[in-house]
């Protein structure tokens, strides 16, 4: 049956609540309202307000409370209402969430999940459309995942709730209403594994989260130009599946990394550097990036200029020195 990403995440939370009494879901408006995007719809009614409940508008307090709960053996799943709303909690995340295991020499772990609707494409203003993955990926001690499919939204979230350490779970809000023929529950590849979504021979497009659909669309459009493009879905930003990425690029000899976030000091930059180092002798051209621009997130009327699209990806592919082939 056709299932949306929003439904898959809702079902993953419901199944986690049903199977483990230690799991709690809380955040701003996640209870009676069911969240801004209705991701937690029905959970409070089914599992009670002690298991799924609203909090004050205080992100630092939300995460701080989750830290204390996780230290006592519970498994809190907290929602940051929008990506950039998490910034008031950033000190908690960097100073405590990410460091507790190391600080206690492994005696105290924090099995908690911080969910954040992230990325653009919905006509939201600033603070509602950030791609903030680089902040978390740069912070040692955090696991960072970004699903791009309905199946991964369910499977990765279930894996994140069971993970022994804190997970930043980035939900591409523009994909909430995307649908696929998926029968839940579904178990996909684990955290730490990338997936080849489309097999190709001429160049590799590397993407994650909302950019995977753009990469797949570009790969289809590239057929008219005579290019056979492979698409690799990163899925897990930290830990990163370097072997799958490297194997693909060593096979094709060319690579373009596609991501919504600004390109400077980004996850896309790290992946490009990794591929340049480990695939140097196989590369036929420099690894290129197609990213958002290095600006604050633009107004809704301008975001389509800011976000990578098929045309920009194909322009990058065209620049991969094919004349030398």
């Amino acid at each position: 049956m056709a299932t949306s990403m929003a439904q898959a995440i809702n079902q993953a939370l419901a199944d986690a609540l049903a199977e483990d009494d230690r799991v709690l879901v809380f955040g701003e408006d996640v209870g009676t309202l069911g969240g801004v995007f209705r991701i937690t719809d029905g959970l409070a009614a089914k599992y009670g307000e002690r298991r799924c409940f609203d909090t004050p508008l205080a992100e630092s307090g939300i995460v701080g409370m989750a830290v204390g709960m996780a230290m006592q053996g519970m498994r809190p799943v907290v929602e940051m209402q929008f990506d950039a709303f998490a910034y008031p909690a950033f000190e908690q995340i960097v100073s405590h969430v990410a460091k507790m295991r190391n600080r206690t020499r492994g005696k105290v772990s924090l099995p908690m999940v911080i969910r954040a609707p992230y990325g653009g494409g919905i006509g939201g203003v600033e603070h509602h459309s950030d791609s903030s993955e680089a902040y978390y990926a740069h912070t040692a001690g955090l696991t960072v995942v970004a699903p791009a499919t309905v199946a991964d939204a369910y499977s990765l979230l279930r894996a994140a709730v069971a993970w022994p350490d804190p997970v930043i779970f980035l939900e591409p809000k523009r994909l909430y209403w995307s649908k696929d023929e998926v029968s839940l529950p579904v178990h996909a590849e684990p955290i730490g594994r990338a997936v080849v979504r489309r097999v190709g021979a001429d160049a590799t497009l590397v993407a994650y989260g909302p950019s995977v659909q753009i990469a797949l669309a570009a790969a289809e459009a590239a057929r008219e130009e005579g290019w056979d493009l492979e698409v690799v879905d990163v899925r897990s930003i930290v830990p990163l599946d370097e072997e799958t990425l490297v194997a693909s690029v060593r096979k094709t000899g060319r690579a373009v990394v596609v991501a919504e976030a600004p390109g400077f000091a980004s996850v896309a930059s790290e992946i490009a550097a990794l591929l340049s180092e480990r695939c140097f002798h196989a590369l036929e051209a420099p690894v290129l990036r197609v990213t958002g621009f290095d600006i604050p997130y633009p107004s809704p009327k301008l975001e389509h200029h800011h976000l990578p699209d098929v045309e920009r990806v194909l322009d990058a592919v065209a620049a991969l020195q094919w004349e030398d082939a």
Side-chain angles (χ1 to χ4, degrees), residues 249-298:
V249 175
R250 283 179 177 170
K251 179 184 74 171
T252 65
R254 292 176 169 85
V256 176
V257 187
V258 185
E260 284 190 10
F264 184 79
S266 63
V267 171
S269 300
E270 176 61 27
I271 293 174
L274 166 74
L275 295 175
S276 296
E277 291 170 0
R278 295 196 55 186
C279 304
F280 182 79
H281 294 290
L283 287 171
E284 302 290 342
V287 178
L288 301 182
R289 292 169 293 154
V290 179
T291 67
F293 300 118
D294 296 326
I295 59 172
Y297 200 85

Side-chain angles (χ1 to χ4, degrees), residues 101 138 229:
R101 178 181 285 278
H138 186 72
L229 304 184

